Amino acid sequence: MLKKLVLAAGLTLGLVSGGLISGGLVSSARAAGDAAPLPNQTWGFHGVFGTYDRAAAQRGFQVYKEVCAACHSLSLVSYRNLRDLGFSEEEVKAIAAAYKVTDGPNDVGEMFERPARPSDRIVKPYPNEKASRAANNGAYPPDLSLMNKARVGGPDYTYALLVGYEKPPADVQLLDGQYYNKYFPGMKIAMPQPLNEGQVTFADGTPATIANMSRDVTVFMNWAAEPELEKRHRLGVQVILFLIVATGFFYAAKRRVWADIH
Ligand code: HEC
């Protein structure tokens, strides 16, 4: 009898504490993911016929180069890949030549610096992760090459993050080096607001508003993450066209084969 009572008590205790723990986990997970819902954007590269707006992507590269590249690498992109965005060979050479890369060893075994060439990867701001953390209050600015694919929401998230800086509500405590961004999971981000009105000057006269710069750099980052997207879309359309033609052909053949049978 006593044994049964102890067993029942133990079971109840176990159930209750289990419930508490799992309840606690659920609510803390919700707290960490309490970021505002992402507004849906329309992007020219979405949909079956989607392509990258070259002018926007070139402006986006300028934003990356003049602002984001101070902290973020883009290690999967080479200068020559920029030809895809409509830059000429000469322009790409000039863009690359403005950067220095370490090469070598030379004949006497020493490393040396030379201007970057189109075949070089885009030069990163810090030699390694430790150096970038040391310069950023311990936080690591992640590589942006695949960022648009790595986060839930993709380009909508990148755009929202860039325009999502706000004054923190009164009940939110920020530590040194933390900033309030309503779209970042947990809402406390270690990246200071990177874009401010008029931060860059676009050659084509596009006003450098925070929204415009954020949109353009998001288009550019999407191209970096998915440069093969247009090819994929083209192939998809070709396959559908082929299937339509093949269906017509097979239908005609079937009618012919069965024509004599009544
Ligand atoms: C002063 C340095 C600095 C600059 C300039 C900067 N960032 Fe960041 N960025 C950071 C740091 C540090 C983090 C890591 C933040 C964290 O984990 O809290 C970060 C994180 C990010 C993230 C990832 C957020 C996530 O979900 O993990 C994206 C996307 C991003 N930055 C985009 C950009 C873009 C686009 C620009 C240029 C418009 C830019 N950043 C300019 C320092 C910078």
Side-chain angles (χ1 to χ4, degrees):
M1 180 70 201
L2 198 71
K3 242 188 188 168
K4 266 192 191 156
L5 250 173
V6 170
L7 211 88
L11 211 79
T12 328
L13 239 160
L15 282 177
V16 168
S17 59
L20 279 179
I21 289 172
S22 59
L25 279 181
V26 167
S27 64
S28 69
R30 203 180 299 131
D34 245 358
L38 298 176
N40 278 329
Q41 309 290 332
T42 34
W43 300 102
F45 49 81
H46 278 166
V48 204
F49 297 107
T51 52
Y52 290 118
D53 174 346
R54 293 296 188 278
Q58 287 198 11
R59 290 194 301 271
F61 170 64
Q62 183 185 347
V63 174
Y64 167 74
K65 184 166 79 114
E66 293 180 14
V67 185
C68 325
C71 302
H72 291 278
S73 58
L74 192 68
S75 60
L76 297 182
V77 181
S78 301
Y79 291 104
R80 64 171 167 218
N81 298 138
L82 296 170
R83 291 291 306 277
D84 272 8
L85 296 185
F87 287 108
S88 71
E89 204 170 331
E90 293 312 307
E91 283 171 321
V92 168
K93 268 188 194 156
I95 291 168
Y99 295 86
K100 290 252 179 307
V101 295
T102 307
D103 202 347
N106 62 12
D107 292 347
V108 288
E110 276 163 7
M111 304 302 279
F112 58 93
E113 289 215 319
R114 61 162 173 79
R117 299 187 197 115
S119 56
D120 286 315
R121 297 292 176 94
I122 288 195
V123 172
K124 44 189 183 183
Y126 305 104
N128 52 55
E129 186 178 330
K130 287 229 167 86
S132 66
R133 279 191 193 275
N136 286 284
N137 241 333
Y140 177 55
D143 188 86
L144 294 185
S145 310
L146 296 174
M147 185 56 75
N148 269 26
K149 280 184 144 178
R151 294 286 183 272
V152 176
D156 289 353
Y157 172 70
T158 302
Y159 176 80
L161 186 77
L162 294 174
V163 300
Y165 284 84
E166 274 177 8
K167 259 184 74 172
D171 60 337
V172 173
Q173 297 288 327
L174 294 176
L175 299 176
D176 235 18
Q178 280 188 330
Y179 306 86
Y180 185 78
N181 188 310
K182 64 180 172 196
Y183 297 114
F184 186 67
M187 277 123 40
K188 295 171 184 174
I189 189 167
M191 168 166 74
Q193 177 173 339
L195 294 168
N196 294 292
E197 298 287 321
Q199 187 145 355
V200 303
T201 308
F202 290 128
D204 63 4
T206 303
T209 59
I210 293 180
N212 283 348
M213 290 183 288
S214 302
R215 238 191 117 73
D216 291 345
V217 81
T218 302
V219 173
F220 170 71
M221 282 168 60
N222 219 86
W223 165 79
E226 256 190 304
E228 77 296 349
L229 169 139
E230 294 176 337
K231 244 186 244 158
R232 195 155 51 71
H233 285 177
R234 259 200 310 276
L235 185 68
V237 171
Q238 282 164 0
V239 168
I240 298 291
L241 282 179
F242 170 79
L243 288 177
I244 290 171
V245 171
T247 307
F249 178 76
F250 285 126
Y251 181 66
K254 178 242 166 211
R255 292 200 34 145
R256 201 153 226 249
V257 168
W258 291 85
D260 299 336
I261 295 175
H262 299 289

